[in-house]
Amino acid sequence: MTFAATSIRLIESTDASVIADHLARDEEASSRWDPKRPPEFYTTKGQIERIELLLGQYLSGQSWPGVIVSDGAVIGQITISGILRGPFQKGYLGYWVASPFQNMGHASRAVTMVLRVMSEDLGLHRAEASTQIDNFASHKVLRNNGFGTWGTAHSHIYIAEEWRDSLFWERTLSKEAPSV
Ligand SMILES: CC(C)(COP(=O)(O)OP(=O)(O)OC[C@H]1O[C@@H](n2cnc3c(N)ncnc32)[C@H](O)[C@@H]1OP(=O)(O)O)[C@@H](O)C(=O)NCCC(=O)NCCS
């Protein structure tokens, strides 16, 4: 079986409508994994505002907000946030893939690519992520990319009407000393 290729690029305001469509269609399926969002999150207008916020954080060096693309279409998001410089040189990874495109290897390949952005373009030393304890697909995506777990935070995030534990993941990218 052949699958479409995967690529990633920085998000643009013009991605808002396709992202809003994916999020609205998958709202119920994602509710087990994502926090509850306000109604505007599922609209093009709400996504334009969110993307502008993300691009502002990109320009100030706090994040790298990307989209996952297959066959020329946006099928998900991949974001490095919370970039911390100084002696840490680390960033926090988040991602989702729209339901019609899941289980085709897109998230695993997108994470491989974003790790290259983190180390080669941003010069980061360490990648971190967190998942819910039972998000086995997400565990697989991280394990496919050399991440290991480093701890559990109890009662860490309120999702689907409950405080849930989070599993924390890490991967070292380069051993180079930070430039001062
Ligand atoms: C988690 C998510 C990003 C995975 O995206 P994807 O493109 O389907 O991931 P991939 O195809 O690269 O890999 C999925 C792997 O998980 C495995 N998998 C899928 N469902 C699984 C399950 N219920 N239990 C165990 N493994 C599972 C697949 O078999 C595949 O394994 P492989 O690499 O050995 O083939 C996607 O399901 C998603 O967006 N879910 C909703 C939001 C979310 O959970 N985001 C992550 C928050 S931490």
Side-chain angles (χ1 to χ4, degrees), residues 30 33-34 95-97 101-109 130-131 135-138 140-141 144:
S30 301
W33 309 118
D34 287 332
Y95 45 80
W96 58 264
V97 168
F101 304 95
Q102 289 176 4
N103 259 313
M104 299 178 186
H106 288 299
S108 297
R109 290 191 290 274
S130 68
T131 65
N135 192 343
F136 301 114
S138 193
K140 198 72 211 295
V141 168
N144 285 346

Side-chain angles (χ1 to χ4, degrees), residues 5-12 15 64-80 93-97 105-118 121-122:
T6 311
S7 60
I8 61 170
R9 62 162 170 79
L10 268 180
I11 200 165
E12 298 165 2
D15 298 323
W64 190 93
V67 286
I68 305 172
V69 176
S70 177
D71 276 342
V74 171
I75 60 158
Q77 279 184 268
I78 186 153
T79 306
I80 306 159
L93 188 57
Y95 45 80
W96 58 264
V97 168
H106 288 299
S108 297
R109 290 191 290 274
V111 169
T112 304
M113 290 173 214
V114 90
L115 290 177
R116 221 170 291 140
V117 171
M118 292 180 88
D121 299 348
L122 303 176

